[in-house]
Amino acid sequence: MIKNANVEPVQTCCVYTTTEASQSVQLTNKQEYANKITLEDGTDIPITGTGALNYTFAEVGDHKVAIEFKEDVTNFSSCLSNCVRLTSIPENLFANNTAVTNFSRCFLNCSGLTSIPENLFANNTAVTAFNDCFSGCRGLTNIPENLFANNTAVINFGNCFAYCSGLTGDIPETLFANNTAVTNFSGCFQGCIGLTSIPEKLFSTNTAVTIFSGCFKGCIGLTSIPENLFTNNTAVTNFSWCFQGCKGLTSIPEKLFSTNTAVTIFSYCFDNCSGLTSIPANLFANCPNVTDFSGCFRYCSGLTGNVPVDNDATPIYNRSGEGKEGYAKVTIYSDCFYNCTGLTDYSSIPSGWK
């Protein structure tokens, strides 16, 4: 190790927490991004080779480590992924990296991380990808409201907060307000079992979005869906697995998809939502381009009432076979109502749909 003479202790840095003596800790999964890594006492850690950089701390406790990244880095993909001993990050960690376009998997599986500084990405205005950025960060309890406020070029938020099981309460309503170029929210909050609600205007400015596949999959704590959640997302084509496994849901808003006329896929959208008791009659009536309803209500064993109908007052399953006027022909529909035996008209549903 290189000990710098007359160096003041590092003040602004990442914190890594060890739980036993002489524990080896992964400081970064991509050491080639770093220009300099310094311990609190001024000791510089040699940066050699590529890939993960580990360091062994002799004593148990919280250890401050300053990481100075190379300013010309454009891709921070997997930079700190799997750094399970990382418990805190400074607000200015990426302040000098104004050319970065990719933060995908940056903090993937950093399970010890408990919070995110609000201005962490404030200077990274060129970023287009945040997919899987905080996926698996089970220790996070909340998301700062303005975390992505300056990242107006972002296209991909897929799996961004997937399996952040420690998130509780509300998602900030304006979290994505400035990210008007986004096209992908697939799996963004899947597996966030602590979430209890969704802000009605969460996606209100994200009019370019085309995919919400698995967005809230497995969010068992959700008890309701705002009726206008997707009202402004008129370009969406894919809602597959969107609320799959959300067993706490008891109802679906009647106009949830009333403006999503471009949708083609609803496969497994409400699969295993065992708490649902009914389906709004006209839930899909304004979605004329759907071709895939496979598994949409599979294992929704609590459903009662009738199968939803279209604007012609006939059931949605009439879109298959020879089809019906004004609607695309549904070609994929297996298991759509599988195990939904409580539906009043269950016996009338074609065998291929159940």
Side-chain angles (χ1 to χ4, degrees):
M1 298 302 170
I2 304 170
K3 184 67 174 290
N4 291 336
N6 302 318
V7 175
E8 292 294 325
V10 177
Q11 299 297 322
T12 305
C13 48
C14 296
V15 176
Y16 296 84
T17 303
T18 54
T19 56
E20 57 187 63
S22 299
Q23 189 170 51
S24 181
V25 173
Q26 180 176 292
L27 300 180
T28 174
N29 191 45
K30 294 281 188 177
Q31 62 178 301
E32 56 265 38
Y33 294 152
N35 185 50
K36 186 178 182 181
I37 299 179
T38 309
L39 300 180
E40 187 175 12
D41 66 357
T43 300
D44 287 342
I45 299 177
I47 302 174
T48 58
T50 59
L53 176 62
N54 297 316
Y55 182 77
T56 300
F57 292 97
E59 299 178 353
V60 175
D62 297 338
H63 310 279
K64 293 182 178 181
V65 180
I67 302 177
E68 179 185 299
F69 290 115
K70 297 175 182 177
E71 292 187 13
D72 60 352
V73 175
T74 59
N75 185 346
F76 271 121
S77 177
S78 301
C79 178
L80 293 159
S81 65
N82 298 306
C83 292
V84 296
R85 294 297 171 189
L86 179 65
T87 54
S88 178
I89 48 180
E91 193 169 65
N92 63 352
L93 184 61
F94 304 116
N96 296 326
N97 306 110
T98 56
V100 176
T101 60
N102 191 346
F103 275 112
S104 63
R105 300 180 298 282
C106 187
F107 297 98
L108 175 71
N109 293 330
C110 289
S111 54
L113 197 62
T114 57
S115 63
I116 309 170
E118 187 166 48
N119 293 314
L120 182 62
F121 305 119
N123 291 1
N124 313 119
T125 57
V127 177
T128 59
F130 277 112
N131 52 293
D132 296 278
C133 187
F134 296 101
S135 179
C137 292
R138 301 190 303 272
L140 292 178
T141 57
N142 61 75
I143 306 171
E145 182 176 12
N146 295 311
L147 182 61
F148 305 119
N150 292 351
N151 312 118
T152 56
V154 179
I155 295 173
N156 192 350
F157 275 115
N159 294 305
C160 187
F161 297 101
Y163 305 107
C164 289
S165 54
L167 291 177
T168 57
D170 293 333
I171 303 166
E173 187 167 59
T174 59
L175 181 62
F176 305 119
N178 295 347
N179 313 120
T180 55
V182 177
T183 61
N184 186 358
F185 275 115
S186 62
C188 189
F189 296 102
Q190 73 166 312
C192 293
I193 60 176
L195 291 179
T196 57
S197 63
I198 308 170
E200 186 170 55
K201 296 181 180 179
L202 183 62
F203 306 120
S204 63
T205 63
N206 313 120
T207 56
V209 177
T210 59
I211 180 169
F212 277 110
S213 177
C215 188
F216 297 100
K217 179 182 177 182
C219 291
I220 59 176
L222 289 178
T223 57
S224 64
I225 307 170
E227 185 167 60
N228 296 315
L229 183 62
F230 304 121
T231 297
N232 295 344
N233 311 118
T234 56
V236 178
T237 60
N238 190 340
F239 275 115
S240 63
W241 304 90
C242 189
F243 297 100
Q244 193 275 341
C246 292
K247 298 181 179 181
L249 293 177
T250 57
S251 64
I252 304 171
E254 184 174 6
K255 297 181 180 180
L256 183 61
F257 304 122
S258 63
T259 63
N260 309 121
T261 57
V263 179
T264 60
I265 304 173
F266 274 115
S267 58
Y268 303 95
C269 186
F270 297 100
D271 172 49
N272 204 24
C273 290
S274 55
L276 292 177
T277 57
S278 64
I279 310 172
N282 296 308
L283 184 62
F284 305 115
N286 291 340
C287 303
N289 294 301
V290 181
T291 59
D292 186 352
F293 274 118
S294 59
C296 189
F297 295 100
R298 189 180 65 158
Y299 294 117
C300 291
S301 55
L303 286 177
T304 58
N306 297 315
V307 168
V309 297
D310 290 321
N311 289 325
D312 62 358
T314 66
I316 62 169
Y317 53 69
N318 283 359
R319 296 191 196 184
S320 61
E322 296 182 1
K324 67 168 70 173
E325 185 177 355
Y327 292 90
K329 182 178 180 179
V330 174
T331 57
I332 308 174
Y333 46 80
S334 61
D335 295 336
C336 181
F337 297 103
Y338 181 82
N339 202 38
C340 299
T341 55
L343 289 172
T344 303
D345 54 351
Y346 184 76
S347 61
S348 301
I349 302 174
S351 58
W353 284 72
K354 62 183 181 182

